Amino acid sequence: MSGMASDHNNSSQEEYIPHYLQKEDPFASKLSREADIVAGFYLTIIGILSTLGNGYVIFMSSKRKKKLRPAEIMTVNLAVCDLGISVVGKPFSIISFFSHRWMFGWIGCRWYGWAGFFFGCGSLITMTAVSLDRYLKICHLSYGTWLKRHHAFICLAIIWAYATFWATVPFAGVGSYAPEPFGTSCTLDWWLAQASVAGQAFVLSILFFCLLFPTAVIVFSYVKIILKVKSSTKEVAHYDTRIQNSHILEMKLTKVAMLICAGFLLAWIPYAVVSVWSAFGRPDSVPIQFSVVPTLLAKSAAMYNPIIYQVIDCKFACCRAGGLKAKSSLKKSRTYTISAHRDSTAMDETQLE
């Protein structure tokens, strides 16, 4: 009896054949040629804007690299991840969309999948580190003032090692990278979960350590910050204008980080939902035409951050011009930063507490 049950389970697993192992060409586009051309133009625009924007962030930061604060270093790392997605990944998909098929074979598919996952995971873990920095800075001032530049570089090493580990795990035989159902892009092989228990364990591990856990940390950090701000608003009103302006600036800097995280998650959550459904839902139940939309939305995430930096930086310039004219230490607006702490900020925030 147990042998028959085992044979039945094995046969039920073998019944499902993922799209890339079926008889038809897995790299042929399943979309219309017109849809591929539209997607190609869309990714071209996104790629150009994100490359220019993030490249400019890195260039401006390199001019004052020895003066970068810890959270500014995290911001530069985020720009590096976004630039990596744009430069390393997008040309592959752009060429393939215009060619109406994936042009780089299985080797190119696995490289593209690895690069996309590596830089995407690096971006999310960097934003997790930024949210923790904001949390410590606002809610635990003694820890916030303790963080120095060398701690930021240690954090960078951990971020890159973390992203490298999870992006490389599929090459160890635990998982894999595979073409998307629409044929002109590649991603993690979410469909392994339909075939075996080991595949389900792989997909669940990726979801927890590379999406759910970092997202939970980000949400926790900003919820605690919001509660802290609400509880301290009346207290701050009793201090002089200089300390009030310092507090307002710190809150605006925190809003930058919140907007960055929100933009990233809004871009990636639809793709994550579709991927989870592909992994654990009814096989091939996601329409091919529908699956391409979350993929294109996720690929646009690298473009948002420079726009957020620019808009908020303009607001900071106005804020400084209006309320901080008397402070000689603010010689120039610091471009593209989520930190911008002055030398006296730690003392001021200790007084606030």
Side-chain angles (χ1 to χ4, degrees):
M1 293 291 290
S2 60
M4 293 176 62
S6 176
D7 292 340
H8 176 73
N9 291 333
N10 292 333
S11 62
S12 63
Q13 290 178 354
E14 293 173 358
E15 286 176 2
Y16 175 71
I17 301 177
H19 60 277
Y20 55 86
L21 293 180
Q22 296 174 5
K23 293 182 179 180
E24 59 186 31
D25 185 356
F27 297 126
S29 176
K30 310 305 186 297
L31 304 174
S32 66
R33 186 171 294 275
E34 292 76 13
D36 276 336
I37 292 175
V38 171
F41 276 115
Y42 170 81
L43 288 181
T44 300
I45 295 172
I46 294 297
I48 292 174
L49 292 177
S50 63
T51 299
L52 293 177
N54 289 292
Y56 186 64
V57 171
I58 296 171
F59 171 75
M60 294 299 294
S61 299
S62 66
K63 296 175 66 174
R64 46 184 299 275
K65 57 185 177 182
K66 293 184 178 180
K67 298 180 180 180
L68 292 176
R69 305 285 180 168
E72 292 177 298
I73 295 172
M74 293 292 105
T75 306
V76 175
N77 191 63
L78 184 59
V80 170
C81 292
D82 291 340
L83 185 64
I85 293 174
S86 302
V87 173
V88 176
K90 282 188 173 60
F92 286 81
S93 54
I94 291 172
I95 293 172
S96 297
F97 273 115
F98 281 126
S99 301
H100 199 49
R101 66 173 288 110
W102 179 259
M103 298 295 294
F104 306 98
W106 278 103
I107 294 178
C109 181
R110 293 187 178 100
W111 159 251
Y112 177 86
W114 181 90
F117 186 38
F118 173 73
F119 288 115
C121 182
S123 294
L124 183 57
I125 303 304
T126 299
M127 286 184 284
T128 305
V130 169
S131 69
L132 285 174
D133 172 80
R134 294 287 85 204
Y135 168 69
L136 294 174
K137 185 65 179 175
I138 302 299
C139 301
H140 300 280
L141 299 180
S142 59
Y143 290 101
T145 56
W146 173 78
L147 295 172
K148 304 299 181 183
R149 277 174 59 95
H150 67 276
H151 297 120
F153 289 114
I154 293 174
C155 188
L156 286 184
I158 295 173
I159 290 171
W160 288 111
Y162 193 91
T164 300
F165 172 79
W166 285 108
T168 310
V169 161
F171 293 130
V174 180
S176 183
Y177 294 99
E180 298 268 16
F182 52 86
T184 47
S185 182
C186 293
T187 184
L188 278 168
D189 192 347
W190 302 103
W191 302 271
L192 285 175
Q194 297 280 356
S196 65
V197 175
Q200 293 176 1
F202 163 73
V203 171
L204 288 174
S205 299
I206 291 293
L207 287 173
F208 179 79
F209 289 104
C210 301
L211 179 63
L212 297 180
F213 177 70
T215 302
V217 173
I218 291 171
V219 172
F220 167 82
S221 298
Y222 290 124
V223 167
K224 297 293 287 185
I225 288 171
I226 291 171
L227 295 176
K228 180 68 175 180
V229 171
K230 286 185 176 180
S231 65
S232 62
T233 300
K234 293 182 179 180
E235 183 180 348
V236 172
H238 296 293
Y239 290 91
D240 60 36
T241 303
R242 178 173 59 86
I243 296 179
Q244 290 181 27
N245 287 332
S246 175
H247 180 79
I248 291 172
L249 182 60
E250 195 64 46
M251 291 304 101
K252 286 187 176 290
L253 294 169
T254 302
K255 289 179 181 179
V256 177
M258 293 177 69
L259 287 173
I260 290 171
C261 294
F264 183 90
L265 293 176
L266 287 175
W268 279 96
I269 283 177
Y271 179 78
V273 170
V274 172
S275 299
V276 170
W277 185 259
S278 299
F280 298 102
R282 189 166 56 85
D284 302 325
S285 59
V286 180
I288 292 177
Q289 291 75 10
F290 177 77
S291 67
V292 71
V293 176
T295 301
L296 294 178
L297 179 62
K299 293 179 186 297
S300 67
M303 180 189 69
Y304 302 151
N305 295 342
I307 297 175
I308 294 173
Y309 301 152
Q310 183 62 47
V311 171
I312 301 298
D313 189 66
C314 291
K315 290 184 178 180
F316 285 167
C318 294
C319 177
R320 294 188 186 103
L324 302 176
K325 289 181 180 179
K327 293 189 68 65
S328 59
S329 63
L330 295 179
K331 296 179 180 180
K332 186 178 181 181
S333 171
R334 294 190 175 189
T335 309
Y336 305 115
T337 175
I338 62 173
S339 173
H341 303 144
R342 295 176 299 280
D343 293 338
S344 62
T345 301
M347 180 182 66
D348 291 341
E349 292 188 338
T350 304
Q351 295 173 3
L352 283 174
E353 185 68 20

